[in-house]
Amino acid sequence: MEYHQLGTSDLHVSTLSFGCMSLKGTPSENATLLRQALAGGINFFDTADLYDQGGNEETVGKAFKGVRDQVILATKVGNQWRPDGSGWDWNPGKAYILQAVEQSLRRLQTDYIDLYQLHGGTLEDPIEETIEAFELLQQQGKIRYYGISSIRPNVIREYVRRANLVSLMMQYSLLDRRPEEEVLDLLQQHQISVLARGSLAQGLLLGKPAKAYLDLSAGQVAKMASAVQALATQDASELALAVQYVLQAPAVATAVLGVRTREQLAQLLAAARAAPLAPQQVAMLQQLLPAATYAQHR
């Protein structure tokens, strides 16, 4: 497993990381899977207070009790559950963030969160107030660093300009190349690392029946999936190729992938050992389909 520095922080994250939202087993099964991932070299684990109404954070906290210093824990804030549990509302306010972090710390059974992320964002938000909350938590030692999770270029630009981000989580894959239009270069210039999610495009790059995806037709999706399959070898599976495409972007620090079973974890760890894509392979894949535009998916 290789490790990349996360922005300007002193955190070094595994190039493949564990998206904990995917966990669906029993607490014991989940803990075993998370510990196996750690043993395999994965050190970055991403969750959110939204997942399972906080239950996902509790699962992660229990799994890593006693080995907290060996893992980098990331969680998210901004979606406030209603008291009756009927859903959640967007709340990026300072008061709520300062309240929510205490609950996340308790559920994760830790004194600090390595990476605290705003779980969305709009230009209508009280952005300065939101930033103040993260900066205060950093000063208090309750979080080490902060970032945001967003695919909105206007929001991203505002936070890049106004905040001390070390990371940005966003969707990025061979079937969703929106970040290449302007955001990847911007983040690279400001030394902000990308946490890439959705890199397998819902499994459409791994043999699932083709269907329309974003502004791509089922035929275009099938074309890309066929190209990935044609490049696959015994040492580089379709999964490895899809992930390695994302990792070839200099701004990307890690690909955050969901894992539910021991078999999926084994495939993920094998993908981490695959050789990087050659420049000609990258160029060939990029020429197959035009990149989708942000304007269509704001």
Side-chain angles (χ1 to χ4, degrees):
M1 184 72 68
E2 293 185 7
Y3 299 85
H4 291 162
Q5 182 177 359
L6 190 67
T8 56
S9 77
D10 62 359
L11 302 176
H12 287 76
V13 300
S14 48
T15 53
L16 298 185
S17 50
F18 200 122
C20 299
M21 183 177 67
S22 62
L23 292 170
K24 300 299 179 185
T26 66
S28 177
E29 291 169 341
N30 290 338
T32 297
L33 192 60
L34 288 165
R35 287 289 192 116
Q36 288 174 337
L38 178 60
I42 293 174
N43 73 345
F44 184 78
F45 298 84
D46 177 76
T47 180
D49 59 5
L50 177 67
Y51 305 157
D52 299 328
Q53 299 188 38
N56 197 266
E57 287 183 326
E58 291 181 348
T59 293
V60 174
K62 290 176 182 177
F64 294 126
K65 187 176 182 179
V67 293
R68 174 65 183 91
D69 60 337
Q70 298 178 33
V71 298
I72 296 174
L73 295 182
T75 191
K76 309 182 198 73
V77 66
N79 295 292
Q80 183 176 16
W81 279 97
R82 298 174 192 139
D84 63 4
S86 63
W88 62 86
D89 299 301
W90 178 239
N91 188 349
K94 180 177 179 179
Y96 174 66
I97 292 172
L98 297 182
Q99 167 196 330
V101 74
E102 300 297 340
Q103 300 305 313
S104 288
L105 288 167
R106 177 185 59 80
R107 289 189 289 259
L108 289 167
Q109 300 188 42
T110 183
D111 296 326
Y112 65 94
I113 294 166
D114 295 294
L115 179 66
Y116 205 34
Q117 303 161 95
L118 185 66
H119 204 172
T122 72
L123 291 180
E124 288 70 45
D125 294 343
I127 294 177
E128 285 299 332
E129 181 181 318
T130 302
I131 294 171
E132 285 177 9
F134 284 113
E135 291 284 346
L136 177 58
L137 291 175
Q138 196 171 35
Q139 292 166 16
Q140 294 174 339
K142 294 179 180 179
I143 68 173
R144 295 180 67 186
Y145 302 98
Y146 66 93
I148 65 170
S149 175
S150 178
I151 62 169
R152 300 173 183 232
N154 291 338
V155 171
I156 292 168
R157 282 193 292 269
E158 281 300 303
Y159 275 93
V160 168
R161 183 174 67 87
R162 298 159 70 172
N164 297 309
L165 304 179
V166 299
S167 69
L168 172 77
M169 178 174 283
M170 68 187 318
Q171 187 166 299
Y172 180 38
S173 73
L174 274 166
L175 294 180
D176 186 356
R177 292 172 48 208
R178 289 175 287 174
E180 295 175 5
E181 294 183 10
E182 55 182 297
V183 173
L184 290 183
D185 286 344
L186 174 68
L187 297 174
Q188 180 70 3
Q189 291 167 12
H190 289 268
Q191 295 181 280
I192 298 170
S193 291
V194 172
L195 312 176
R197 63 177 179 83
S199 302
L200 305 182
Q202 301 176 0
L204 294 173
L205 296 171
L206 306 183
K208 280 191 175 182
K211 64 177 183 178
Y213 185 78
L214 297 179
D215 63 341
L216 301 177
S217 67
Q220 289 174 310
V221 169
K223 182 179 180 181
M224 181 61 77
S226 295
V228 171
Q229 184 179 24
L231 286 176
T233 65
Q234 185 174 356
D235 297 322
S237 65
E238 287 95 332
L239 186 154
L241 291 170
V243 169
Q244 290 299 331
Y245 176 79
V246 167
L247 292 175
Q248 56 83 31
V252 175
T254 185
V256 183
L257 300 176
V259 183
R260 293 189 181 183
T261 67
R262 189 175 302 178
E263 292 72 27
Q264 289 176 342
L265 176 60
Q267 294 170 353
L268 182 62
L269 294 175
R273 296 191 292 269
L277 291 179
Q280 59 269 30
Q281 292 175 312
V282 172
M284 184 272 286
L285 290 169
Q286 290 177 336
Q287 290 168 6
L288 279 176
L289 298 173
T293 62
Y294 276 116
Q296 294 169 294
H297 306 293
R298 288 189 186 279

